[in-house]
Amino acid sequence: MLSKQPFERRILIAFILMTTVVSGLFSLSIVGVVHFIEEHLVSMQMERELSGVLLQDMKTGSAPRLDSSTRFFSSQFPEYAIPDEYQHLPEGFNEIVNGDDAFYVYVEESNGHTHVLVQEQDEFEARENALFNVVLAGFLLTVIAAWGLGLITASKVMAPVSRLAQQVRHRDQLHPLAPPLAPDYPNDEIGQLAAAFDSTLGQVRQSLERERLFTSDVSHELRTPLMVIATSCELLAEAPLSPREKEQVARIARASEEMRELVQTFLQLARDKSNEAAFVGDRSLAAIANEQASRWGDLIKEKGLDFRVIEEGQDAGQYNATFLATVMGNLLRNALHYTEHGEVRLILESGAFRIEDSGAGIPAEQHERIFQPFVRGAQARGEGLGLGLSLVKRICAKQGWQVSLESEPGHTHFRVTLNNGA
């Protein structure tokens, strides 16, 4: 459909269509005028010649005084009998084309007799065809010229729009110090569009800055109470406590450590590109996997599930420990919550890892939606709000990793493809 074509192409198509219609109508009008003038003038001329033959030549018994290309026939005069091909022609002007031969035939009915004047028009027909060929050539040349001119016009019209699109698309436009776009354009429709983009981008920059400051401030302020909680848990662990009390202290310590890691994750997510260099390539996949296995393995086994770490390939990459640990930990937590019996496996590959479980599975129609914030599975477990997988998706997008999901009843696996610490 035309409406789905690029705007530059639509301008070109509209330009060509308009030129084709106007040029076509003009060419058709030339053909029509030529035919009208031909019929009208030739008809008048032949009528005068036929009247002269009947009133002057035939009344005096003289032969018709006509040029060599004109012949006279009449039902009134046997010596000028009308040939069969002219017997049933209607009265008035007629044009007959027979192969390469062309004739004008004028028929007049008078006093019960039919008089016919035939005039060869091969030369005029040739000139007429030459004229029509010129008109056709002019029409085609006009369309071709319109195509060329349309290309130039569409390119010039779209040049500032394309330039503006590239500027808006550039990621630096979200930088707080990015210059406005409108001063680079005249005060026309493009300038107004650039001003609208400036206004919208300004609001986006403010929103991003508020989000960054909020995340940074909240994460920073949470560090102190988390440190107090962690220190208190260490002191309580040294005190004489009952087994149940020690279990509760250990649970508080684990929750405090998880929250500390989340705070560190959110702090790094809030940082801009210029501050990311210090947070990439500091730990190996195997080291982070061993840490997460030691943290989640006991919890998974306490639930009666089998837990295994399988190394299918060697990986030499270095990764952001905070981000990778958060991704792996959230996926292991997800497997723990949604698996009631069977096993959970953490499988390491070269440049990737998988987490497989024997849980109820995730319906195919929810595979995309499950990564959205505040979306939980149909058989939700735990006290989460449905933010774990959305955080996994966000971290993978920031790091250039790929997360995929395959699931069926009794088997679910998440696979995260890493970029080797790039």
Side-chain angles (χ1 to χ4, degrees), residues 85-111:
E85 62 265 29
Y86 307 134
Q87 285 284 350
H88 304 291
L89 294 176
E91 186 176 7
F93 177 80
N94 297 273
E95 185 175 2
I96 298 177
V97 178
N98 185 13
D100 294 333
D101 298 326
F103 304 93
Y104 293 139
V105 181
Y106 188 82
V107 180
E108 182 179 292
E109 302 285 344
S110 178
N111 299 324

Side-chain angles (χ1 to χ4, degrees), residues 98-128:
N98 185 13
D100 294 333
D101 298 326
F103 304 93
Y104 293 139
V105 181
Y106 188 82
V107 180
E108 182 179 292
E109 302 285 344
S110 178
N111 299 324
H113 296 287
T114 302
H115 309 289
V116 178
L117 196 64
V118 178
Q119 185 179 81
E120 295 179 3
Q121 58 127 356
D122 296 345
E123 183 178 353
F124 185 85
E125 187 71 17
R127 294 178 179 176
E128 186 180 50

Side-chain angles (χ1 to χ4, degrees), residues 109-404:
E109 302 285 344
S110 178
N111 299 324
H113 296 287
T114 302
H115 309 289
V116 178
L117 196 64
V118 178
Q119 185 179 81
E120 295 179 3
Q121 58 127 356
D122 296 345
E123 183 178 353
F124 185 85
E125 187 71 17
R127 294 178 179 176
E128 186 180 50
N129 289 334
L131 173 63
F132 292 160
N133 290 333
V134 170
V135 172
L136 177 60
F139 170 74
L140 295 177
L141 289 175
T142 301
V143 173
I144 294 173
W147 178 76
L149 186 59
L151 278 178
I152 297 173
T153 303
S155 177
K156 288 187 175 295
V157 169
M158 290 303 300
V161 178
S162 300
R163 178 189 171 201
L164 179 59
Q166 291 177 355
Q167 289 178 312
V168 173
R169 193 182 299 117
H170 200 284
R171 65 185 183 184
D172 287 345
Q173 286 299 327
L174 294 179
H175 195 280
L177 299 180
L181 301 171
D184 293 340
Y185 298 91
N187 188 23
D188 55 10
E189 289 79 0
I190 305 300
Q192 295 174 10
L193 182 61
F197 276 125
D198 284 337
S199 176
T200 302
L201 287 172
Q203 296 176 15
V204 172
R205 293 187 196 104
Q206 292 177 5
S207 298
L208 290 175
E209 184 66 13
R210 285 197 298 268
E211 179 187 0
R212 188 185 68 81
L213 291 175
F214 174 79
T215 305
S216 178
D217 292 344
V218 170
S219 300
H220 183 272
E221 294 301 322
L222 283 175
R223 284 181 167 182
T224 300
L226 285 175
M227 187 177 298
V228 172
I229 294 173
T231 304
S232 300
C233 288
E234 291 177 0
L235 294 175
L236 286 173
E238 300 296 328
L241 301 174
S242 66
R244 179 172 177 79
E245 290 172 337
K246 288 184 177 181
E247 180 181 348
Q248 293 298 324
V249 171
R251 184 178 180 184
I252 294 172
R254 285 197 302 269
S256 173
E257 180 63 17
E258 290 178 23
M259 185 174 291
R260 186 193 67 78
E261 291 181 355
L262 279 175
V263 167
Q264 184 66 18
T265 299
F266 289 135
L267 274 173
Q268 292 193 27
L269 287 174
R271 296 180 189 273
D272 58 25
K273 295 287 182 180
S274 62
N275 293 325
E276 285 185 359
F279 300 102
V280 296
D282 50 357
R283 297 292 297 280
S284 68
L285 174 61
I288 296 173
N290 289 333
E291 290 180 359
Q292 296 301 312
S294 64
R295 171 177 299 175
W296 293 99
D298 292 340
L299 295 175
I300 293 173
K301 292 176 181 178
E302 286 176 8
K303 194 175 180 180
L305 304 174
D306 180 38
F307 176 71
R308 289 184 294 164
V309 178
I310 302 173
E311 191 168 351
E312 291 185 350
Q314 296 290 331
D315 182 81
Q318 296 292 310
Y319 305 97
N320 183 308
T322 300
F323 285 153
L324 185 52
T326 301
V327 169
M328 193 176 292
N330 273 284
L331 293 178
L332 286 170
R333 180 193 293 110
N334 192 72
L336 170 64
H337 288 167
Y338 287 89
T339 305
E340 296 301 322
H341 55 80
E343 64 176 355
V344 175
R345 299 192 300 171
L346 171 57
I347 303 172
L348 307 183
E349 306 176 25
S350 177
F353 71 89
R354 304 195 311 272
I355 293 179
E356 301 182 353
D357 64 65
S358 57
I362 302 172
E365 62 271 13
Q366 294 186 14
H367 283 191
E368 292 294 331
R369 188 170 176 269
I370 200 69
F371 289 101
Q372 297 176 6
F374 304 106
V375 174
R376 307 184 70 192
Q379 300 176 344
R381 299 290 188 272
E383 300 177 354
L385 297 176
L387 293 173
L389 290 181
S390 69
L391 181 59
V392 168
K393 189 78 171 180
R394 183 179 174 187
I395 291 174
C396 288
K398 185 178 182 67
Q399 291 295 100
W401 302 340
Q402 308 292 327
V403 57
S404 61

Side-chain angles (χ1 to χ4, degrees), residues 9-24:
R9 187 176 300 171
R10 278 188 276 168
I11 294 176
L12 176 61
I13 292 174
F15 200 87
I16 293 176
L17 286 177
M18 181 185 68
T19 304
T20 301
V21 171
V22 173
S23 180

